[in-house]
Amino acid sequence: MSRTWVLVANSAQAQLLESRARRSDLHVTAQYSNADGRAHEGDLVTDGGAAVMERQSDGQRRYTESQVSAREHAVDLFAIKLADVLRQGRISNRYGELMLVAPPQMLGKLRSRLDETTLRRVTQEVDKNLSKLPPDAMVAKLQDILRQHRKVI
C-alpha cells in the first residue's frame, strides 16, 4: 500500500505527517523546529555588516553590502534540512507521494531545495500556513484535501 507524506511547514516549524492510500488516517511522524526562523534580526546578528566607501569626483558615498539577512539565512538552512529529510525518505522508499503545505515564500524555498527525483514525487502543493491551526483542525483540513485529491486521481 502506497504511503503519502505531508510536510506542513513555515519558517519556524514543520510537521511531517503520513497517510496510507485509500484511507483517511493521518498521523504526525516527526516534528522539526527552527527557533531562528521566528527570531528578530537584531537577536541574530551583532553588527551592522560591512560598508564600502567609494570616492567619486563629487565626494564620497557609503554603500552597505547587500546581504541575505540572518533570519533569511536561517530559513534557507531550515528548508535545506527539510529537503534532506524528504530526500532520505524517498531513498528509503518510505513514501510514494508527497504533499507540501506551506506559506508561498516557504513553499518556494522548499521547492528550490528539493532534488529533481524527490520533486517528481510531489503530487500536490497547498500554499497556506496550516501550521497555525490547532492540531486537530490541521489534520481534519489535510484529510479533506487528501480525500479530494484521491477522488481526482
mmCIF file of all heavy atoms in Angstrom, residues 7-36:
data_model
loop_
_atom_site.group_PDB
_atom_site.id
_atom_site.type_symbol
_atom_site.label_atom_id
_atom_site.label_comp_id
_atom_site.label_asym_id
_atom_site.label_seq_id
_atom_site.Cartn_x
_atom_site.Cartn_y
_atom_site.Cartn_z
ATOM 1 N N LEU A 7 4.160 17.288 4.285
ATOM 2 C CA LEU A 7 5.015 18.195 5.042
ATOM 3 C C LEU A 7 4.270 19.512 5.209
ATOM 4 O O LEU A 7 3.917 20.162 4.216
ATOM 5 C CB LEU A 7 6.347 18.445 4.325
ATOM 6 C CG LEU A 7 7.288 19.389 5.077
ATOM 7 C CD1 LEU A 7 7.819 18.730 6.355
ATOM 8 C CD2 LEU A 7 8.433 19.829 4.197
ATOM 9 N N VAL A 8 3.998 19.877 6.448
ATOM 10 C CA VAL A 8 3.352 21.146 6.779
ATOM 11 C C VAL A 8 4.425 21.999 7.439
ATOM 12 O O VAL A 8 4.938 21.643 8.508
ATOM 13 C CB VAL A 8 2.153 20.946 7.732
ATOM 14 C CG1 VAL A 8 1.507 22.281 8.066
ATOM 15 C CG2 VAL A 8 1.137 19.993 7.119
ATOM 16 N N ALA A 9 4.777 23.103 6.791
ATOM 17 C CA ALA A 9 5.911 23.882 7.292
ATOM 18 C C ALA A 9 5.663 25.378 7.196
ATOM 19 O O ALA A 9 4.863 25.848 6.389
ATOM 20 C CB ALA A 9 7.170 23.528 6.492
ATOM 21 N N ASN A 10 6.371 26.104 8.037
ATOM 22 C CA ASN A 10 6.533 27.544 7.885
ATOM 23 C C ASN A 10 7.987 27.839 8.238
ATOM 24 O O ASN A 10 8.785 26.904 8.361
ATOM 25 C CB ASN A 10 5.517 28.343 8.728
ATOM 26 C CG ASN A 10 5.651 28.131 10.217
ATOM 27 O OD1 ASN A 10 6.721 27.821 10.737
ATOM 28 N ND2 ASN A 10 4.552 28.282 10.932
ATOM 29 N N SER A 11 8.356 29.072 8.393
ATOM 30 C CA SER A 11 9.764 29.392 8.602
ATOM 31 C C SER A 11 10.291 28.948 9.964
ATOM 32 O O SER A 11 11.503 28.851 10.160
ATOM 33 C CB SER A 11 9.991 30.897 8.432
ATOM 34 O OG SER A 11 9.249 31.609 9.404
ATOM 35 N N ALA A 12 9.399 28.661 10.914
ATOM 36 C CA ALA A 12 9.833 28.343 12.274
ATOM 37 C C ALA A 12 9.590 26.903 12.704
ATOM 38 O O ALA A 12 10.211 26.443 13.654
ATOM 39 C CB ALA A 12 9.137 29.284 13.258
ATOM 40 N N GLN A 13 8.698 26.210 12.013
ATOM 41 C CA GLN A 13 8.389 24.843 12.433
ATOM 42 C C GLN A 13 7.871 24.022 11.260
ATOM 43 O O GLN A 13 7.421 24.573 10.266
ATOM 44 C CB GLN A 13 7.352 24.848 13.553
ATOM 45 C CG GLN A 13 6.023 25.443 13.137
ATOM 46 C CD GLN A 13 5.052 25.550 14.294
ATOM 47 O OE1 GLN A 13 5.330 25.084 15.392
ATOM 48 N NE2 GLN A 13 3.899 26.144 14.055
ATOM 49 N N ALA A 14 7.938 22.713 11.444
ATOM 50 C CA ALA A 14 7.413 21.806 10.421
ATOM 51 C C ALA A 14 6.949 20.524 11.086
ATOM 52 O O ALA A 14 7.483 20.115 12.113
ATOM 53 C CB ALA A 14 8.490 21.499 9.380
ATOM 54 N N GLN A 15 5.948 19.939 10.467
ATOM 55 C CA GLN A 15 5.459 18.641 10.899
ATOM 56 C C GLN A 15 5.386 17.734 9.681
ATOM 57 O O GLN A 15 4.933 18.157 8.620
ATOM 58 C CB GLN A 15 4.065 18.758 11.527
ATOM 59 C CG GLN A 15 4.051 19.524 12.810
ATOM 60 C CD GLN A 15 2.665 19.554 13.425
ATOM 61 O OE1 GLN A 15 1.819 18.717 13.152
ATOM 62 N NE2 GLN A 15 2.442 20.533 14.274
ATOM 63 N N LEU A 16 5.820 16.521 9.856
ATOM 64 C CA LEU A 16 5.738 15.527 8.804
ATOM 65 C C LEU A 16 4.652 14.541 9.199
ATOM 66 O O LEU A 16 4.701 13.963 10.285
ATOM 67 C CB LEU A 16 7.077 14.817 8.631
ATOM 68 C CG LEU A 16 7.191 13.852 7.466
ATOM 69 C CD1 LEU A 16 6.958 14.581 6.138
ATOM 70 C CD2 LEU A 16 8.558 13.200 7.468
ATOM 71 N N LEU A 17 3.660 14.414 8.343
ATOM 72 C CA LEU A 17 2.549 13.506 8.597
ATOM 73 C C LEU A 17 2.552 12.418 7.536
ATOM 74 O O LEU A 17 3.098 12.602 6.444
ATOM 75 C CB LEU A 17 1.216 14.263 8.568
ATOM 76 C CG LEU A 17 1.065 15.355 9.618
ATOM 77 C CD1 LEU A 17 1.454 16.701 9.048
ATOM 78 C CD2 LEU A 17 -0.341 15.399 10.147
ATOM 79 N N GLU A 18 1.907 11.295 7.864
ATOM 80 C CA GLU A 18 1.867 10.175 6.936
ATOM 81 C C GLU A 18 0.442 9.652 6.823
ATOM 82 O O GLU A 18 -0.294 9.621 7.807
ATOM 83 C CB GLU A 18 2.787 9.071 7.444
ATOM 84 C CG GLU A 18 2.881 7.882 6.513
ATOM 85 C CD GLU A 18 3.849 6.844 7.027
ATOM 86 O OE1 GLU A 18 5.065 7.073 6.923
ATOM 87 O OE2 GLU A 18 3.382 5.828 7.558
ATOM 88 N N SER A 19 0.080 9.260 5.618
ATOM 89 C CA SER A 19 -1.233 8.674 5.348
ATOM 90 C C SER A 19 -1.046 7.482 4.420
ATOM 91 O O SER A 19 -0.204 7.515 3.527
ATOM 92 C CB SER A 19 -2.143 9.712 4.685
ATOM 93 O OG SER A 19 -3.358 9.128 4.305
ATOM 94 N N ARG A 20 -1.844 6.472 4.632
ATOM 95 C CA ARG A 20 -1.819 5.326 3.722
ATOM 96 C C ARG A 20 -2.871 5.536 2.642
ATOM 97 O O ARG A 20 -3.914 6.112 2.890
ATOM 98 C CB ARG A 20 -2.086 4.038 4.484
ATOM 99 C CG ARG A 20 -0.998 3.751 5.504
ATOM 100 C CD ARG A 20 -1.088 2.313 5.950
ATOM 101 N NE ARG A 20 -0.120 2.054 6.988
ATOM 102 C CZ ARG A 20 1.136 1.678 6.753
ATOM 103 N NH1 ARG A 20 1.555 1.527 5.526
ATOM 104 N NH2 ARG A 20 1.960 1.447 7.744
ATOM 105 N N ALA A 21 -2.609 5.049 1.462
ATOM 106 C CA ALA A 21 -3.526 5.226 0.326
ATOM 107 C C ALA A 21 -4.905 4.663 0.638
ATOM 108 O O ALA A 21 -5.039 3.665 1.339
ATOM 109 C CB ALA A 21 -2.951 4.555 -0.915
ATOM 110 N N ARG A 22 -5.919 5.350 0.114
ATOM 111 C CA ARG A 22 -7.321 4.969 0.247
ATOM 112 C C ARG A 22 -7.807 4.912 1.688
ATOM 113 O O ARG A 22 -8.803 4.296 1.992
ATOM 114 C CB ARG A 22 -7.586 3.630 -0.441
ATOM 115 C CG ARG A 22 -7.533 3.776 -1.939
ATOM 116 C CD ARG A 22 -7.864 2.461 -2.613
ATOM 117 N NE ARG A 22 -6.713 2.152 -3.445
ATOM 118 C CZ ARG A 22 -6.019 1.034 -3.405
ATOM 119 N NH1 ARG A 22 -6.356 0.069 -2.633
ATOM 120 N NH2 ARG A 22 -4.989 0.853 -4.173
ATOM 121 N N ARG A 23 -7.060 5.531 2.587
ATOM 122 C CA ARG A 23 -7.508 5.609 3.980
ATOM 123 C C ARG A 23 -7.391 7.051 4.422
ATOM 124 O O ARG A 23 -6.606 7.825 3.902
ATOM 125 C CB ARG A 23 -6.642 4.721 4.868
ATOM 126 C CG ARG A 23 -6.880 3.245 4.591
ATOM 127 C CD ARG A 23 -6.045 2.363 5.451
ATOM 128 N NE ARG A 23 -6.220 2.645 6.867
ATOM 129 C CZ ARG A 23 -5.435 2.143 7.797
ATOM 130 N NH1 ARG A 23 -4.445 1.370 7.485
ATOM 131 N NH2 ARG A 23 -5.632 2.429 9.060
ATOM 132 N N SER A 24 -8.199 7.410 5.386
ATOM 133 C CA SER A 24 -8.182 8.801 5.817
ATOM 134 C C SER A 24 -7.320 9.018 7.060
ATOM 135 O O SER A 24 -7.323 10.105 7.607
ATOM 136 C CB SER A 24 -9.615 9.290 6.073
ATOM 137 O OG SER A 24 -10.203 8.514 7.088
ATOM 138 N N ASP A 25 -6.634 7.962 7.499
ATOM 139 C CA ASP A 25 -5.785 8.152 8.669
ATOM 140 C C ASP A 25 -4.610 9.061 8.314
ATOM 141 O O ASP A 25 -4.081 9.031 7.217
ATOM 142 C CB ASP A 25 -5.286 6.816 9.220
ATOM 143 C CG ASP A 25 -4.316 6.115 8.279
ATOM 144 O OD1 ASP A 25 -4.435 6.321 7.054
ATOM 145 O OD2 ASP A 25 -3.445 5.376 8.766
ATOM 146 N N LEU A 26 -4.270 9.899 9.224
ATOM 147 C CA LEU A 26 -3.170 10.830 9.020
ATOM 148 C C LEU A 26 -2.565 11.062 10.388
ATOM 149 O O LEU A 26 -3.262 11.478 11.322
ATOM 150 C CB LEU A 26 -3.707 12.138 8.427
ATOM 151 C CG LEU A 26 -2.726 13.153 7.897
ATOM 152 C CD1 LEU A 26 -1.911 12.586 6.739
ATOM 153 C CD2 LEU A 26 -3.459 14.394 7.434
ATOM 154 N N HIS A 27 -1.291 10.769 10.527
ATOM 155 C CA HIS A 27 -0.670 10.941 11.829
ATOM 156 C C HIS A 27 0.700 11.596 11.697
ATOM 157 O O HIS A 27 1.387 11.440 10.683
ATOM 158 C CB HIS A 27 -0.573 9.598 12.572
ATOM 159 C CG HIS A 27 0.235 8.573 11.838
ATOM 160 N ND1 HIS A 27 -0.291 7.812 10.830
ATOM 161 C CD2 HIS A 27 1.525 8.213 11.966
ATOM 162 C CE1 HIS A 27 0.652 7.012 10.356
ATOM 163 N NE2 HIS A 27 1.760 7.230 11.025
ATOM 164 N N VAL A 28 1.075 12.318 12.732
ATOM 165 C CA VAL A 28 2.361 13.015 12.766
ATOM 166 C C VAL A 28 3.461 11.990 13.016
ATOM 167 O O VAL A 28 3.387 11.198 13.950
ATOM 168 C CB VAL A 28 2.384 14.093 13.874
ATOM 169 C CG1 VAL A 28 3.758 14.750 13.964
ATOM 170 C CG2 VAL A 28 1.313 15.148 13.616
ATOM 171 N N THR A 29 4.466 12.008 12.140
ATOM 172 C CA THR A 29 5.599 11.092 12.319
ATOM 173 C C THR A 29 6.849 11.808 12.813
ATOM 174 O O THR A 29 7.728 11.173 13.382
ATOM 175 C CB THR A 29 5.932 10.351 11.007
ATOM 176 O OG1 THR A 29 6.275 11.313 10.013
ATOM 177 C CG2 THR A 29 4.760 9.515 10.533
ATOM 178 N N ALA A 30 6.928 13.117 12.598
ATOM 179 C CA ALA A 30 8.094 13.878 13.060
ATOM 180 C C ALA A 30 7.750 15.359 13.132
ATOM 181 O O ALA A 30 6.876 15.843 12.407
ATOM 182 C CB ALA A 30 9.277 13.673 12.112
ATOM 183 N N GLN A 31 8.444 16.054 14.020
ATOM 184 C CA GLN A 31 8.292 17.498 14.153
ATOM 185 C C GLN A 31 9.689 18.122 14.123
ATOM 186 O O GLN A 31 10.637 17.563 14.675
ATOM 187 C CB GLN A 31 7.574 17.869 15.439
ATOM 188 C CG GLN A 31 6.154 17.378 15.458
ATOM 189 C CD GLN A 31 5.413 17.804 16.725
ATOM 190 O OE1 GLN A 31 6.010 18.169 17.721
ATOM 191 N NE2 GLN A 31 4.095 17.758 16.668
ATOM 192 N N TYR A 32 9.787 19.281 13.495
ATOM 193 C CA TYR A 32 11.052 19.986 13.360
ATOM 194 C C TYR A 32 10.857 21.437 13.784
ATOM 195 O O TYR A 32 9.799 22.020 13.564
ATOM 196 C CB TYR A 32 11.549 19.927 11.907
ATOM 197 C CG TYR A 32 11.637 18.522 11.384
ATOM 198 C CD1 TYR A 32 10.567 17.955 10.705
ATOM 199 C CD2 TYR A 32 12.765 17.748 11.609
ATOM 200 C CE1 TYR A 32 10.630 16.651 10.244
ATOM 201 C CE2 TYR A 32 12.839 16.447 11.156
ATOM 202 C CZ TYR A 32 11.762 15.901 10.475
ATOM 203 O OH TYR A 32 11.819 14.606 10.030
ATOM 204 N N SER A 33 11.896 21.990 14.379
ATOM 205 C CA SER A 33 11.806 23.354 14.873
ATOM 206 C C SER A 33 12.976 24.180 14.358
ATOM 207 O O SER A 33 14.093 23.674 14.202
ATOM 208 C CB SER A 33 11.821 23.328 16.409
ATOM 209 O OG SER A 33 11.793 24.626 16.911
ATOM 210 N N ASN A 34 12.700 25.440 14.095
ATOM 211 C CA ASN A 34 13.723 26.386 13.650
ATOM 212 C C ASN A 34 13.516 27.681 14.431
ATOM 213 O O ASN A 34 12.845 28.596 13.967
ATOM 214 C CB ASN A 34 13.599 26.630 12.140
ATOM 215 C CG ASN A 34 14.606 27.629 11.633
ATOM 216 O OD1 ASN A 34 15.687 27.777 12.192
ATOM 217 N ND2 ASN A 34 14.254 28.332 10.571
ATOM 218 N N ALA A 35 14.063 27.729 15.637
ATOM 219 C CA ALA A 35 13.857 28.894 16.509
ATOM 220 C C ALA A 35 14.322 30.183 15.844
ATOM 221 O O ALA A 35 13.713 31.241 16.028
ATOM 222 C CB ALA A 35 14.580 28.687 17.834
ATOM 223 N N ASP A 36 15.383 30.124 15.047
ATOM 224 C CA ASP A 36 15.886 31.326 14.379
ATOM 225 C C ASP A 36 14.926 31.822 13.295
ATOM 226 O O ASP A 36 15.006 32.968 12.875
ATOM 227 C CB ASP A 36 17.255 31.066 13.747
ATOM 228 C CG ASP A 36 18.342 30.872 14.805
ATOM 229 O OD1 ASP A 36 18.092 31.236 15.980
ATOM 230 O OD2 ASP A 36 19.413 30.355 14.470
#
